[in-house]
């Protein structure tokens, strides 16, 4: 992917350059990421521009593939062969897993100089630290439990934006009758899993979600509530189109943008696609909490872990990047394009749209009310081995015509034991 500084980022570059950056020890940072869709690429360009404004060189290491599974496979082979990139988009418990391998750099000096402990919610800073030391820097907070809809499509179907799962199926049925694909879905395991976690949250509530999908409690993974979650989840499949298998998430979003599909269950990186296509929230597209989840928030914090590297100039560049990521200018421009909200506390949300403002309000409210939960589908809740196994079990159930909910629950319980 080629990342030039686009017009919308030039003021940012100018501001950062004027901030008096000394270019004496220019270094290079190789950055592994998987931001290759329209909105994601714009956000990645903001990151590149930020680094370049500090006088350093950006070496792009983009590995396409939503959710980052392919990127993580490539990262493993690079690190194993002793050739780690300087920065990699790693998040959640995986930061700890990499930290235990002894391959991550210590960012405590940057964190201290820039007061990260006071600028970040504790639920986030804890995840960025390995044995109490910062090893990663967060860029944003994505909310996963969103429903996106095309208002024109809803109008044609004489249907309303659903707030619970019963309403969801009424709307889906109406869209189907109007000849519109009710649900835009990409049948890839991480997308199935993304839908599944929103259903689990909406049907079971935040406490059930925590027990089943964070604590991996066997009695919750095999329960009447989980059975209801699984049957609701599977029912959605009947409202997707036959070309869903294998489709990328952003192509599913494009179906909603064009009005070919009515709704999509997806995290707010989808908003980045609507925005990149010039669409206006509340006018050309609608955002709402996924059915039944208005009082809850599945968080997904993108972050960059920094790897130990030898070259001194490159180390300096790596730390400059870490510092710049937490600066308000970057947090604003990046998140305006990415669809997420700033992770840095007390940011001015003036330039953000109503979806982002709702996300920001709900993030704070759910943190206080107990509805703030880590996204299992996006690597925030459980160790990666268990996550992968549960993800496979969920997709097997979605794809099978024969598997019963009872069988799926046994698979979930077994998968949760994966170490
Ligand atoms: C990441 C987002 C990304 C999305 C689709 C999520 O896991 O957190 O940054 O846009 O996957 O690739």
């Amino acid at each position: 992917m080629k990342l030039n500084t686009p017009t919308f980022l030039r003021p940012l570059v100018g501001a950062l350059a004027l901030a008096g950056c000394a270019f004496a020890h220019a270094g290079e940072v190789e950055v592994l990421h998987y931001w290759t869709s329209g909105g994601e690429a714009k956000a990645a360009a903001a990151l590149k521009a930020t680094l370049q404004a500090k006088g350093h060189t950006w070496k792009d290491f983009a590995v396409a593939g939503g959710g980052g599974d392919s990127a993580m496979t490539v990262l493993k082979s690079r690190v194993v062969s002793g050739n780690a990139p300087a920065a990699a988009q790693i998040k959640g418990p995986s930061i700890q897993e990499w930290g235990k391998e002894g391959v991550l750099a210590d960012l405590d000096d940057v964190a201290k100089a820039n007061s990260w402990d006071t600028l970040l919610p504790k639920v986030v800073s804890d995840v960025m630290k390995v044995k109490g030391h910062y090893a990663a820097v967060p860029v944003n907070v994505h909310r996963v439990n969103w429903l996106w809809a095309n208002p024109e499509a809803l109008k044609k179907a004489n249907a309303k934006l659903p707030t619970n799962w019963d309403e969801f199926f009424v709307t889906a049925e109406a869209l189907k009758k109007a000849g519109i694909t009710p649900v835009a879905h990409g049948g890839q395991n991480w997308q199935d899993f993304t839908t599944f976690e929103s259903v689990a949250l909406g049907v079971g509530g935040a406490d059930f979600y925590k027990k089943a999908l964070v604590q991996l409690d066997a009695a919750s993974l095999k329960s009447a509530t989980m059975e209801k979650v699984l049957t609701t989840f599977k029912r959605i499949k009947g409202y997707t189109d036959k070309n869903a298998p294998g489709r990328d998430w952003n192509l599913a979003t494009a179906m909603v943008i064009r009005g070919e599909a009515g709704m999509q269950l997806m995290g707010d990186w989808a908003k980045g696609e609507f925005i990149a296509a010039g669409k206006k929230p509340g006018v050309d597209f609608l955002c709402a909490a996924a059915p039944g989840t208005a009082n809850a928030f599945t968080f997904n914090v993108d972050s960059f872990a920094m790897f130990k590297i030898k070259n001194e100039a490159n180390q300096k560049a790596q730390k400059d990047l870490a510092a710049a990521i937490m600066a308000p200018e970057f947090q604003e421009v990046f998140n305006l394009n990415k669809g997420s909200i700033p992770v840095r506390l007390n940011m001015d949300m003036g330039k953000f749209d109503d979806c982002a403002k709702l996300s920001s309000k709900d993030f704070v409210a759910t943190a206080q009310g107990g509805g703030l939960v880590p996204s299992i589908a996006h690597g925030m809740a459980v160790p990666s081995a268990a996550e992968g196994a549960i993800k496979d079990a969920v997709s097997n159930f979605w794809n099978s015509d024969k598997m019963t909910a009872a069988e799926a629950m046994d698979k979930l319980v077994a998968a949760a034991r994966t170490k």
Side-chain angles (χ1 to χ4, degrees):
M1 181 178 45
K2 207 158 165 259
L3 293 170
N4 290 320
T5 305
T7 331
F8 76 101
L9 291 173
R10 290 192 187 134
L12 171 75
V13 177
L16 288 167
L18 280 173
C21 316
F23 291 178
H25 302 287
E28 177 187 89
V29 189
E30 186 179 16
V31 185
L32 171 78
H33 65 94
Y34 46 93
W35 290 330
T36 54
S37 76
E40 289 177 335
K42 278 188 137 192
L47 190 61
K48 178 184 178 183
T50 300
L51 181 73
Q52 288 176 328
K54 300 258 171 190
H56 301 302
T57 308
W58 166 280
K59 192 170 172 199
D60 201 45
F61 184 4
V63 180
D69 290 341
S70 310
M72 290 309 108
T73 307
V74 177
L75 176 66
K76 273 179 201 147
S77 67
R78 281 281 302 263
V79 179
V80 166
S81 63
N83 185 21
Q89 193 190 339
I90 303 175
K91 52 192 176 175
S94 291
I95 297 171
Q96 310 297 321
E97 292 170 15
W98 284 107
K100 279 189 202 134
E101 300 294 321
V103 290
L104 298 186
D106 186 328
L107 301 175
D108 277 352
D109 49 351
V110 192
K112 209 162 178 230
N114 294 283
S115 314
W116 289 2
D117 271 342
T118 51
L119 292 173
L120 289 173
K122 192 166 179 316
V123 63
V124 175
S125 57
D126 283 350
V127 177
M128 301 301 131
K129 294 178 188 173
V130 176
K131 295 196 187 113
H133 301 287
Y134 276 99
V137 53
V139 290
N140 63 0
V141 180
H142 271 303
R143 184 183 199 176
V144 181
N145 58 316
W146 281 114
L147 178 72
W148 307 94
N150 181 308
E152 271 300 306
L154 291 182
K155 209 168 143 199
K156 267 190 211 150
N158 197 16
K160 62 172 194 163
L161 193 63
T163 61
N164 58 43
W165 288 104
D166 287 340
E167 288 177 14
F168 178 86
F169 291 111
V170 172
T171 295
E173 199 54 43
L175 285 162
K176 195 173 173 180
K177 286 214 176 80
I180 298 165
T181 300
V183 182
H185 186 66
Q188 296 171 343
N189 64 1
W190 73 271
Q191 295 188 61
D192 303 338
F193 206 16
T194 299
T195 299
F196 173 80
E197 77 170 27
S198 281
V199 176
L201 188 65
V203 169
D207 288 342
F208 169 78
Y209 180 101
K210 279 186 225 167
K211 273 201 172 152
L213 300 179
V214 182
Q215 293 155 21
L216 302 182
D217 166 47
S220 308
L221 287 168
K222 190 173 178 161
S223 62
T225 308
M226 185 55 88
E227 188 172 358
K228 195 166 174 214
V229 168
L230 285 164
T231 47
T232 307
F233 168 63
K234 193 66 181 278
R235 203 174 152 200
I236 298 172
K237 195 179 174 194
Y239 294 99
T240 61
D241 68 324
K242 65 174 188 350
N243 295 326
R247 178 189 285 134
D248 287 330
W249 67 272
N250 53 318
L251 300 182
T253 308
M255 291 168 68
V256 181
I257 293 176
R258 290 193 300 263
E260 286 165 29
M263 306 182 278
Q264 183 184 20
L265 288 151
M266 186 50 68
D268 44 19
W269 45 94
K271 197 187 75 186
E273 295 306 295
F274 285 103
I275 302 291
K279 302 295 174 194
K280 297 228 164 356
V283 180
D284 306 311
F285 69 95
L286 306 174
C287 63
T293 71
N295 296 324
F297 191 120
T298 29
F299 68 90
N300 169 24
V301 174
D302 284 313
S303 49
F304 282 92
M306 302 294 172
F307 281 83
K308 281 181 185 159
I309 47 170
K310 293 211 173 78
N311 179 301
E312 228 177 274
N314 293 352
Q315 285 171 357
K316 165 91 172 56
Q318 187 183 45
K319 292 197 169 174
D320 280 354
L321 179 65
I325 283 176
M326 276 290 290
E329 300 82 10
F330 173 77
Q331 289 276 321
E332 181 175 84
V333 71
F334 178 87
N335 287 299
L336 282 171
N337 288 289
K338 189 70 176 65
S340 39
I341 55 171
V343 67
R344 185 185 163 118
L345 294 169
N346 304 321
M347 283 275 302
D348 177 6
M349 294 296 288
K351 288 199 188 144
F352 286 84
D353 60 44
D354 288 348
C355 304
K357 284 183 182 137
L358 177 66
S359 184
S360 183
K361 180 174 102 23
D362 288 351
F363 183 66
V364 176
T366 56
Q368 284 160 0
L372 184 64
V373 296
S375 162
I376 184 170
H378 292 275
M380 300 303 296
V382 301
S384 55
E387 183 196 319
I390 298 171
K391 174 159 58 188
D392 286 346
V394 166
S395 272
N396 286 343
F397 177 65
W398 177 266
N399 289 317
S400 161
D401 293 333
K402 296 199 184 83
M403 197 189 297
T404 62
E407 285 164 346
M409 289 194 284
D410 287 336
K411 283 190 187 288
L412 288 179
V413 172
R417 289 197 208 107
T418 311
K419 292 258 186 294

